Amino acid sequence: VRTNQLVNSAHLLALSQQEELEDLPKDYPLSPSEDEGDIDGERKHQKLLEAISSLDGKNRWKLAERSEASLKVSEFNVTSEGSGEKLVLSDLLGPVKTSSSLATVKKQLNRVKSKKTVELPLNKEEVERIHREVAFNKTSQALSKWDPIILKNRQAEQLVFPLKKEQSAFAPIEHVLSGWKARTPLEQEVFNLLHKNKQPVTDPLLTPVEKASLKAMSLEEAKMRRAELQRARALQSYYEARARREKKIKSKKYHKVLKKGKARKALREFEKLQKANPTAALEELEKIEKARMMERMSLKHQNSGKWAKSKAIMAKYDLEARQAMQEQLARNKELTQKLQVASDSEEEEEGAEEEGELVPDAVNEIQMDANGPNPWMLRNHLRGTGEAKVRDPEKLPEPVAHEASESEEEERPGAEEEILLNEFEERRSLRKKSTLNQDTEPVSRQEPKDSSSKEVLSELRALSQKLNRENQQCGKQNMSSTRTVPAVQREEPAEVEEEPLLLQRPERAHTVEELEELGKEECFQNKEVPKPMGEGQQSERNPNNQPGTPKEKKRKEEMIDLQNLLTTKSPSVKSLAVPTTVEELEDEEERDQKRMIKEAFAGDDVIRDFLKEKREAVEASKPKDVDLTLPGWGEWGGMGLKPSAKKRRRFLIKTPEGPPRKDKNLPNVIINEKRNVHAAAHQVRVLPYPFTHHQQFERTIQTPIGSTWNTQRAFQKLTTPKVVTKPGHIIKPIKAEDVGYRSSSRSDLSVVQRNPKQLSIRHKKQLKKNSVD
Amino acid sequence: MKVKMLSRNPDNYVRETKLDLQRVPRNYDPTLHPFEVPREYIRALNATKLERVFAKPFLASLDGHRDGVNCLAKHPKSLATVLSGACDGEVRIWNLTKRKCIRTVQAHEGFVRGICTRFCGTSFFTVGDDKTVKQWKMDGPGYGEEEEPLHTILGKTVYTGIDHHWKEAVFVTCGQQVDIWDEQRTSPICSMTWGFDSISSVKFNPIETFLLGSCASDRNIVLYDMRQATPLKKVILDMRTNTICWNPMEAFIFTAANEDYNLYTFDMRALDTPVMVHMDHVSAVLDVDYSPTGKEFVSASFDKSIRIFPVDKSRSREVYHTKRMQHVICVKWTSDSKYIMCGSDEMNIRLWKANASEKLGVLTSREKAAKDYNQKLKEKFQHHPHIKRIARHRHLPKSIYSQIQEQRIMKEARRRKEVNRLKHSKPGSVSIVSEKKKHIVAVVK
């Protein structure tokens, strides 16, 4: 409203300025009365208009004749009538050039000429249209404040409705009751009954009697009672806390002292009572007696309780526990004792004996142990030391005669580890000897490397190794040195060992050597003699192996045809050092297993089947040549006659070769290049709408959302529903206040009832703008 | 020799209370759970099938009216209460939990044209063919009292629709013009007209409550601003709009139910192009109502079915029909967004589930988790042809089915003709008009 008023005032200001402009010729001497006011100006204006309209000369006379109207009469007595001459504008303007005093007139004239007529007011429809447009613009501007919220809600991962949590309103029963009135006669009757009893209907729900009773207790009384109660509560809590604290104390001494103190106190009190009131004391005594009897009857202090049992175990080691037990026994004795005062020395002795019996064995045992060494324990200890002693000679290094120690070990069933270690050593030495033999027979290196022979050899290998070992063992027995073993015996194993060696790469061999070294360091710290020999042997072998063969082998491997990868057997890599020994152990099992597998799959050759299948697939996928020969066309045709080779050649259309197969270089794979029709039925054909690239879509499909692949938390997050509604809750339309906007405090109605004039004022500016257009 | 025993810390496997879940150690190594896509695909397929198996949307039929149900109204405070007006001037109030009529009022002579409840839920208004507006108490009359309206306003012309303001004691009626009434007065405080036509429906905007929308028989939709007492804009469509409904969550969005079998969702700031054209009905759409979540709406049609449309989709996600349901005249989505009610020609009000396969009642947490997972799976694989086919499959009455086929043929023919015309005319002389623009005749400022 205010803005409208402002606009209005501005408009008025503009109008007044215009008037000032019109008043400009104030200083003109010929028209001194011009400053009289608006009306005067208007009149002048009118006159001027008349004068101008009379310029064309047609109705000049007519105007002059209709002179009874005051309008035509000038107060300055300046009229054009009677002059009889035609006044031309150019005549008027002629002298203007010379006299400057006529400049203002000229200006006025110019202005009059330039001024248009005032337009008609806009018709009603037009005005309404403008109003509507303005209102629409305003409204849509106001509505666009919702844009961010709506966008947010549309993109939200999850929306929970109702948006605003409503507080559940509890209506007190009185309110419900007060809102309800008895209407039917029955209800009224019931109400009357209730009212007779003065049953309260409204808050507080107390009958007058109750109210009276409430009033009966005075304030002081209530306060006192409350204080009392408070004190009692405080005391109780204090005692409770104390008891808890005491209960927590773990010190046995403290508890003992406490108990004793209590007993003493009781005794003192009893004595006091005896003095003061013998009868009461007697009663008390009786009570005590009864308690003792009860205790006697019970199984307490009988060494059968949990505590006693645990103590019995502990008593072996713990002096204190022993004491506690003895104390308990004493108490038991005291309790179980008959109350005959006559206590003989004999009985005491008996008791002592009993005590001895009652104390568990363990206690005694420990005592014995404490006195002297426990024979059992002693035995154990001795055994341990004895073993250690027995072991010691073994551990003693035997630098020269290793074989001798071996024999010793074999004889004695010692620790298993020992045996294993020795065996290992034995095998190692054995292998060395065999490699040594290799050196002696260089012929063995030139071996046929056919796969077939290899297979045979590998089978032979195990057998020969075993044989070898047996030989060695007997050799050990017979000869002192193994170096002079007949070459014939060693030939075969040497070959066997050589075979894998050849297939190995140099690095691999190197690592094997390293392994060997390691093994040596491990086991042969004391075995000084064989070590240099072994090393020499290696150095001998290495130059033999490395310079020529490995490189050749390498080249050969490179040249291996990819197609034949499947058919050739993968070379079994056998290291020189450890595996040989292990193999020997597992040989039997392996062979068995192999045989079993072979027997089981005797019928089918999987590899050949696969190759055949692949060949077929390749053939099938190859484009076929088109044969267009027509038999009998241009030559004789019939049964048993074939078109000539020349003709066939002529009419055979060869199709160009397609692109190479994807599995061309993959020997053990068949890639089907035809689209799978069965799978296609389940596949999405076009990229669905929100996705822009097929990879995007595939990624969403490939990310699993189930709990099988995701953690519980992730699963919950992935499966949150987009819209959540609570059953039984009314979802109200979104409100400006809910989303943080200030809703218009003014009611919609108040605006409607306002003066509609203001509305038009508001749009005046707009109207004007429109009219200019 | 010390023997090392296998030992476990009980903290790792013993639960603190017996109400806790047992801890189940899991290995999420993907190599142990292969084929995730095929497995999930199968799960999605099963979920989709089960959804169809359990799709039993029909809950109840409320019968008792002695003429076709012409209008429905929701109670603003109580989910269980529904009001309905019939063609014989009878108004009934129903309890949905009991599925019984709890009150009957003979409100008008002739049709009850419109019914609406006051925002506080204490009273309701009806307009009828007898040129009256009546206000009624929501509670029934007391013992010995007469059933009579709180106020009755006698008008000069027939009122065809009524709606109440969402916050204030103001209501609006429509007929020859749109009248805004104060509850306390017997004459309208403001009347708005734009041309001479009979306005069939008028609705208050639930968010920006000063806005009004109306639709008239000369094929237009007019928007009004109550504060400025002026119409804002008018859009003229191909055919008559029967009713409109504002989106309760998006202030400037409304949907119009049109006679040309389609529904049009408009952004009121840009009326020249609808945001979405929803088409699936095979006859005039008579009523539309938004879900309180603002994500979907339901439409009632003369083709004896109701359909549920997502706001941003042009095709419906669900169609409900029964053998006995005739032309559906009015439809409402309940305030908890779980149910749909529709009143039809054959005097019944039917109650449907908004999600056909939804399980009613309280769900355990495991059930809920399974439901959510299945829903997500269905969403994830919704584009796969098998799943799409099963999810889209609906049984339709023969009449609707054949009409759909027929209209498909017609549409295809029209399209072909258009393409041919385009092909055989001078380039640039014939332009292709998009489906959205096709139905808008003009926007009048």
Side-chain angles (χ1 to χ4, degrees):
Chain A
V1 176
R2 189 178 289 164
T3 54
N4 285 325
Q5 281 169 348
L6 269 173
V7 168
N8 205 13
S9 63
H11 191 72
L12 281 171
L13 206 78
L15 274 174
S16 64
Q17 273 172 356
Q18 226 169 16
E19 278 163 19
E20 268 175 28
L21 274 171
E22 279 175 333
D23 288 349
L24 255 177
K26 231 187 266 178
D27 50 348
Y28 188 55
L30 277 180
S31 57
S33 64
E34 259 184 358
D35 53 349
E36 271 178 23
D38 279 6
I39 313 152
D40 213 41
E42 246 174 70
R43 205 185 300 148
K44 263 189 276 171
H45 184 80
Q46 185 69 32
K47 224 176 86 185
L48 200 66
L49 282 175
E50 276 168 31
I52 289 156
S53 61
S54 65
L55 285 181
D56 55 359
K58 263 186 187 172
N59 43 1
R60 192 158 49 118
W61 287 109
K62 262 186 196 171
L63 273 170
E65 272 168 289
R66 287 170 63 204
S67 59
E68 84 274 4
S70 61
L71 265 176
K72 313 294 181 205
V73 182
S74 166
E75 59 248 82
F76 306 114
N77 293 324
V78 185
T79 49
S80 57
E81 63 185 300
S83 62
E85 286 171 38
K86 203 173 187 179
L87 189 66
V88 190
L89 188 65
S90 57
D91 292 349
L92 268 175
L93 291 174
V96 165
K97 275 167 200 166
T98 50
S99 76
S100 60
S101 59
L102 284 174
T104 48
V105 179
K106 188 188 166 193
K107 251 185 204 170
Q108 268 180 322
L109 273 171
N110 281 337
R111 199 179 294 149
V112 165
K113 257 169 70 179
S114 69
K115 201 164 190 184
K116 284 179 206 161
T117 52
V118 177
E119 298 101 345
L120 286 170
L122 289 171
N123 59 353
K124 201 184 162 197
E125 276 100 68
E126 197 80 347
V127 171
E128 274 181 353
R129 193 174 70 84
I130 292 155
H131 282 175
R132 282 198 299 263
E133 215 166 308
V134 172
F136 178 78
N137 287 341
K138 263 190 122 178
T139 314
S140 49
Q141 226 166 38
L143 282 176
S144 49
K145 76 172 180 189
W146 287 97
D147 273 332
I149 294 157
I150 287 168
L151 195 72
K152 200 187 89 196
N153 281 353
R154 279 180 187 170
Q155 291 170 345
E157 289 282 300
Q158 188 177 39
L159 281 177
V160 181
F161 293 105
L163 291 171
K164 201 184 175 189
K165 242 185 199 170
E166 56 201 84
Q167 272 81 39
S168 53
F170 291 107
I173 196 155
E174 307 89 49
H175 290 254
V176 177
L177 277 175
S178 63
W180 186 70
K181 274 175 192 165
R183 280 176 289 200
T184 60
L186 178 69
E187 279 170 359
Q188 272 161 1
E189 212 169 302
V190 172
F191 249 58
N192 281 339
L193 275 173
L194 283 173
H195 281 294
K196 232 177 244 170
N197 261 357
K198 284 177 187 166
Q199 190 70 27
V201 183
T202 51
D203 188 46
L205 281 171
L206 292 171
T207 56
V209 184
E210 281 171 332
K211 271 180 196 162
S213 71
L214 265 181
K215 274 181 190 167
M217 198 188 281
S218 70
L219 188 68
E220 261 107 310
E221 223 175 318
K223 268 185 184 169
M224 264 167 64
R225 229 181 119 184
R226 195 161 141 260
E228 232 169 80
L229 275 170
Q230 258 177 350
R231 222 180 56 218
R233 263 202 302 277
L235 270 175
Q236 193 188 351
S237 69
Y238 164 70
Y239 278 116
E240 270 173 7
R242 199 175 131 188
R244 223 175 289 134
R245 206 169 53 239
E246 278 177 359
K247 203 181 162 192
K248 262 190 187 167
I249 295 171
K250 281 180 180 168
S251 162
K252 279 167 194 159
K253 202 171 179 184
Y254 167 79
H255 282 292
K256 215 180 280 172
V257 169
L258 196 75
K259 222 184 277 173
K260 268 182 190 164
K262 267 185 193 165
R264 216 176 295 136
K265 204 178 164 190
L267 205 75
R268 212 179 299 140
E269 267 176 17
F270 178 70
E271 275 171 10
K272 230 182 253 174
L273 202 71
Q274 224 175 4
K275 273 177 196 167
N277 195 354
T279 48
L282 215 68
E283 270 175 30
E284 193 73 6
L285 196 69
E286 225 160 88
K287 254 186 213 168
I288 292 166
E289 188 61 17
K290 201 170 183 182
R292 200 191 69 89
M293 274 158 69
M294 293 289 279
E295 191 147 356
R296 248 188 97 181
M297 282 193 292
S298 74
L299 285 172
K300 268 183 192 171
H301 313 292
Q302 291 286 352
N303 262 351
S304 55
K306 208 189 269 178
W307 177 84
K309 276 175 185 167
S310 73
K311 279 289 169 218
I313 294 162
M314 289 297 290
K316 234 194 277 186
Y317 315 103
D318 197 1
L319 201 74
E320 231 172 271
R322 220 174 305 142
Q323 272 177 356
M325 260 193 93
Q326 257 151 7
E327 207 169 287
Q328 200 214 10
L329 283 167
R331 183 147 177 71
N332 177 40
K333 211 176 80 185
E334 191 192 322
L335 279 168
T336 47
Q337 197 171 52
K338 278 179 186 168
L339 256 190
Q340 264 83 30
V341 191
S343 58
D344 294 357
S345 58
E346 278 179 17
E347 277 182 357
E348 271 179 18
E349 275 172 19
E350 269 181 23
E353 273 177 17
E354 272 175 17
E355 188 192 329
E357 281 167 15
L358 275 164
V359 172
D361 289 3
V363 180
N364 293 332
E365 237 177 58
I366 271 297
Q367 274 177 334
M368 277 172 75
D369 198 57
N371 291 337
N374 188 345
W376 179 250
M377 295 295 281
L378 223 165
R379 215 185 307 138
N380 262 345
H381 180 70
L382 268 179
R383 191 168 55 187
T385 48
E387 254 184 15
K389 271 178 200 166
V390 174
R391 231 174 275 162
D392 280 348
E394 293 168 18
K395 279 181 182 170
L396 280 174
E398 294 160 284
V400 192
H402 184 70
E403 261 102 353
S405 73
E406 266 184 6
S407 61
E408 260 185 42
E409 284 155 26
E410 277 168 357
E411 281 165 20
R412 193 183 45 74
E416 287 172 344
E417 295 170 339
E418 221 70 17
I419 295 169
L420 271 173
L421 227 151
N422 285 322
E423 268 184 349
F424 191 68
E425 279 176 349
E426 183 193 333
R427 273 176 217 145
R428 186 169 290 275
S429 63
L430 203 151
R431 190 193 45 73
K432 284 233 177 80
K433 281 161 213 159
S434 67
T435 47
L436 204 128
N437 286 333
Q438 280 167 30
D439 289 359
T440 53
E441 266 100 30
V443 195
S444 61
R445 223 161 279 146
Q446 289 124 22
E447 283 287 317
K449 269 142 242 169
D450 303 2
S451 57
S452 56
S453 67
K454 228 189 273 176
E455 249 188 72
V456 178
L457 277 174
S458 65
E459 277 196 355
L460 268 174
R461 186 198 301 144
L463 219 148
S464 60
Q465 271 177 349
K466 224 174 181 185
L467 256 171
N468 192 2
R469 198 181 159 193
E470 276 168 17
N471 279 334
Q472 273 190 338
Q473 273 181 1
C474 38
K476 267 179 248 152
Q477 280 163 8
N478 297 335
M479 286 162 249
S480 59
S481 95
T482 45
R483 264 156 260 160
T484 53
V485 176
V488 194
Q489 269 189 353
R490 308 280 163 201
E491 209 175 275
E492 272 174 4
E495 284 164 15
V496 172
E497 299 284 337
E498 193 54 29
E499 200 60 47
L501 234 184
L502 284 170
L503 277 162
Q504 279 161 24
R505 286 164 194 210
E507 315 96 81
R508 181 95 181 116
H510 185 66
T511 53
V512 167
E513 277 154 30
E514 274 181 356
L515 249 174
E516 213 171 357
E517 286 284 335
L518 265 172
K520 259 173 220 157
E521 274 171 23
E522 208 178 89
C523 321
F524 293 85
Q525 291 140 332
N526 39 19
K527 207 173 164 188
E528 302 292 77
V529 184
K531 196 178 176 182
M533 255 195 46
E535 271 182 354
Q537 195 183 289
Q538 273 170 27
S539 57
E540 263 183 308
R541 198 183 55 191
N542 282 348
N544 282 346
N545 278 350
Q546 272 169 349
T549 44
K551 277 182 188 170
E552 281 174 22
K553 279 290 135 196
K554 236 185 174 176
R555 210 176 304 142
K556 261 192 186 171
E557 272 178 46
E558 278 171 20
M559 284 170 68
I560 283 170
D561 189 9
L562 280 167
Q563 302 291 341
N564 295 340
L565 257 180
L566 264 185
T567 46
T568 51
K569 215 181 164 194
S570 58
S572 56
V573 178
K574 269 162 194 129
S575 65
L576 285 174
V578 192
T580 43
T581 59
V582 180
E583 249 169 50
E584 269 180 66
L585 263 174
E586 292 168 356
D587 251 346
E588 286 284 328
E589 287 176 36
E590 249 179 56
R591 225 184 306 153
D592 272 5
Q593 211 166 357
K594 269 183 188 169
R595 198 165 14 90
M596 289 260 281
I597 290 166
K598 259 184 191 170
E599 274 172 23
F601 297 99
D604 45 30
D605 187 351
V606 187
I607 292 165
R608 197 193 298 149
D609 284 353
F610 176 78
L611 286 176
K612 196 180 160 195
E613 201 179 319
K614 183 165 183 183
R615 215 176 302 126
E616 277 167 7
V618 169
E619 284 301 312
S621 70
K622 260 185 195 166
K624 303 271 182 314
D625 295 344
V626 185
D627 193 0
L628 295 175
T629 46
L630 288 171
W633 193 259
E635 59 190 4
W636 286 107
M639 285 281 276
L641 281 175
K642 272 185 182 172
S644 66
K646 186 186 161 196
K647 196 181 169 189
R648 251 186 290 156
R649 226 181 298 125
R650 196 177 176 295
F651 288 102
L652 189 77
I653 296 168
K654 277 194 178 169
T655 48
E657 260 187 48
R661 280 181 68 89
K662 279 178 189 165
D663 56 2
K664 195 183 149 199
N665 290 331
L666 300 169
N668 47 359
V669 176
I670 301 173
I671 297 174
N672 190 354
E673 284 170 16
K674 263 194 250 166
R675 187 159 162 268
N676 191 348
V677 185
H678 300 292
H682 294 270
Q683 281 163 347
V684 182
R685 260 168 232 147
V686 283
L687 191 67
Y689 157 62
F691 302 100
T692 49
H693 197 263
H694 71 94
Q695 277 175 348
Q696 239 177 10
F697 177 63
E698 275 164 19
R699 219 172 301 135
T700 55
I701 291 295
Q702 265 154 16
T703 351
I705 51 173
S707 57
T708 323
W709 300 275
N710 295 298
T711 57
Q712 187 63 22
R713 194 59 57 79
F715 172 68
Q716 278 170 355
K717 217 176 236 175
L718 283 168
T719 57
T720 44
K722 275 221 153 180
V723 175
V724 176
T725 55
K726 284 182 189 163
H729 283 246
I730 291 173
I731 302 165
K732 289 200 172 134
I734 197 167
K735 275 184 204 154
E737 301 95 83
D738 289 354
V739 288
Y741 288 132
R742 196 178 57 82
S743 69
S744 57
S745 55
R746 225 169 24 203
S747 100
D748 301 341
L749 193 64
S750 65
V751 192
V752 178
Q753 288 162 337
R754 232 180 33 217
N755 187 7
K757 240 187 185 175
Q758 280 181 336
L759 206 80
S760 60
I761 291 163
R762 196 193 303 174
H763 300 312
K764 211 164 189 176
K765 211 174 172 186
Q766 179 81 22
L767 255 167
K768 241 189 170 171
K769 211 171 123 193
N770 200 274
S771 65
V772 166
D773 296 339
Chain B
M1 191 172 64
K2 196 181 176 187
V3 177
K4 274 193 179 172
M5 302 271 283
L6 278 178
S7 68
R8 290 199 294 164
N9 185 1
D11 289 348
N12 291 336
Y13 59 89
V14 174
R15 49 187 182 166
E16 280 176 5
T17 66
K18 65 177 180 182
L19 297 172
D20 288 352
L21 284 175
Q22 288 281 16
R23 180 174 292 182
V24 183
R26 287 277 329 267
N27 192 346
Y28 290 103
D29 184 3
T31 52
L32 296 178
H33 308 287
F35 303 119
E36 57 264 27
V37 179
R39 282 164 80 185
E40 288 218 315
Y41 174 75
I42 293 296
R43 282 181 199 175
L45 192 66
N46 288 340
T48 316
K49 285 176 183 170
L50 283 180
E51 186 208 316
R52 288 290 86 218
V53 167
F54 290 123
K56 305 249 184 282
F58 182 69
L59 286 176
S61 171
L62 310 174
D63 61 329
H65 273 300
R66 281 165 290 184
D67 206 337
V69 182
N70 200 38
C71 47
L72 278 173
K74 292 182 275 189
H75 193 285
K77 301 277 176 189
S78 152
L79 279 172
T81 314
V82 177
L83 300 92
S84 65
C87 294
D88 60 350
E90 194 181 52
V91 169
R92 279 177 185 257
I93 302 176
W94 305 85
N95 188 329
L96 286 182
T97 45
K98 290 178 193 159
R99 290 164 191 181
K100 266 183 188 163
C101 176
I102 51 174
R103 193 174 154 208
T104 312
V105 184
Q106 185 60 43
H108 295 279
E109 283 165 33
F111 280 42
V112 181
R113 286 290 173 186
I115 187 166
C116 71
T117 49
R118 205 170 181 274
F119 57 91
C120 60
T122 52
S123 62
F124 64 92
F125 296 84
T126 56
V127 289
D129 270 355
D130 53 0
K131 301 181 187 175
T132 53
V133 181
K134 290 182 180 174
Q135 185 183 8
W136 305 83
K137 260 186 6 182
M138 193 63 83
D139 304 321
Y143 178 76
E145 276 178 42
E146 283 279 313
E147 180 83 89
E148 57 186 11
L150 286 173
H151 301 109
T152 306
I153 300 166
L154 281 166
K156 287 178 198 128
T157 53
V158 174
Y159 299 109
T160 51
I162 187 167
D163 196 23
H164 200 280
H165 193 278
W166 287 80
K167 282 174 190 162
E168 286 159 25
V170 176
F171 64 90
V172 63
T173 59
C174 60
Q176 302 268 310
Q177 74 276 2
V178 171
D179 292 329
I180 295 170
W181 305 73
D182 190 336
E183 279 179 15
Q184 306 303 322
R185 299 189 187 180
T186 51
S187 59
I189 51 174
C190 172
S191 295
M192 293 180 280
T193 50
W194 189 347
F196 296 97
D197 44 74
S198 59
I199 296 157
S200 59
S201 154
V202 64
K203 291 278 166 71
F204 269 109
N205 187 324
I207 306 167
E208 294 294 356
T209 47
F210 56 86
L211 277 175
L212 290 158
S214 79
C215 47
S217 58
D218 69 344
R219 307 176 298 159
N220 63 24
I221 301 170
V222 184
L223 300 171
Y224 305 89
D225 190 334
M226 194 178 98
R227 296 185 303 184
Q228 296 169 19
T230 171
L232 297 176
K233 221 168 206 185
K234 173 156 59 169
V235 59
I236 301 171
L237 298 171
D238 260 347
M239 291 179 88
R240 195 172 86 106
T241 300
N242 283 316
T243 184
I244 68 163
C245 185
W246 293 92
N247 190 327
M249 289 292 152
E250 301 179 357
F252 42 77
I253 301 284
F254 67 90
T255 299
N258 204 286
E259 283 277 322
D260 64 357
Y261 313 169
N262 293 341
L263 292 118
Y264 301 97
T265 298
F266 283 99
D267 182 337
M268 70 154 275
R269 296 168 300 174
L271 289 171
D272 50 344
T273 319
V275 178
M276 191 60 77
V277 181
H278 309 272
M279 36 194 170
D280 252 349
H281 279 297
V282 288
S283 193
V285 190
L286 298 181
D287 198 8
V288 60
D289 191 36
Y290 262 93
S291 148
T293 62
K295 299 277 173 200
E296 288 173 327
F297 61 82
V298 61
S299 62
S301 170
F302 197 74
D303 63 9
K304 304 176 187 175
S305 69
I306 58 176
R307 282 182 185 267
I308 301 170
F309 291 86
V311 173
D312 51 351
K313 297 268 159 57
S314 72
R315 295 285 170 183
S316 63
R317 80 161 166 85
E318 196 69 79
V319 55
Y320 293 158
H321 57 86
T322 61
K323 233 177 206 171
R324 296 185 180 188
M325 188 162 76
Q326 296 302 310
H327 314 302
V328 194
I329 295 169
C330 48
V331 71
K332 280 271 181 274
W333 202 309
T334 58
S335 309
D336 60 349
S337 92
K338 294 262 184 224
Y339 306 102
I340 287 165
M341 290 165 306
C342 66
S344 46
D345 250 0
E346 87 311 321
M347 306 178 267
N348 278 318
I349 298 164
R350 289 194 169 74
L351 186 66
W352 307 83
K353 283 194 274 188
N355 282 315
S357 59
E358 192 185 29
K359 189 185 172 191
L360 295 180
V362 180
L363 296 181
T364 64
S365 56
R366 289 181 65 190
E367 272 178 315
K368 218 177 277 169
K371 191 192 81 185
D372 292 347
Y373 180 43
N374 282 342
Q375 190 56 42
K376 271 282 136 79
L377 281 179
K378 275 184 269 176
E379 267 170 41
K380 186 180 166 188
F381 290 98
Q382 64 185 341
H383 306 292
H384 286 70
H386 275 58
I387 289 173
K388 200 196 222 165
R389 184 184 61 78
I390 295 166
R392 277 186 50 218
H393 181 83
R394 296 284 182 286
H395 171 258
L396 284 175
K398 207 170 192 176
S399 59
I400 295 178
Y401 184 79
S402 57
Q403 282 228 55
I404 286 173
Q405 301 299 327
E406 198 176 298
Q407 278 170 20
R408 186 179 297 154
I409 291 163
M410 284 159 68
K411 202 178 170 191
E412 177 56 29
R414 243 176 272 140
R415 194 194 65 81
R416 201 170 52 232
K417 185 168 185 181
E418 214 167 88
V419 169
N420 284 342
R421 184 172 291 157
L422 188 71
K423 216 193 303 180
H424 297 291
S425 57
K426 195 177 154 194
S429 62
V430 176
S431 59
I432 305 164
V433 184
S434 69
E435 182 67 38
K436 280 180 186 174
K437 296 233 177 188
K438 212 180 270 177
H439 306 282
I440 308 296
V441 173
V443 178
V444 185
K445 283 178 183 174

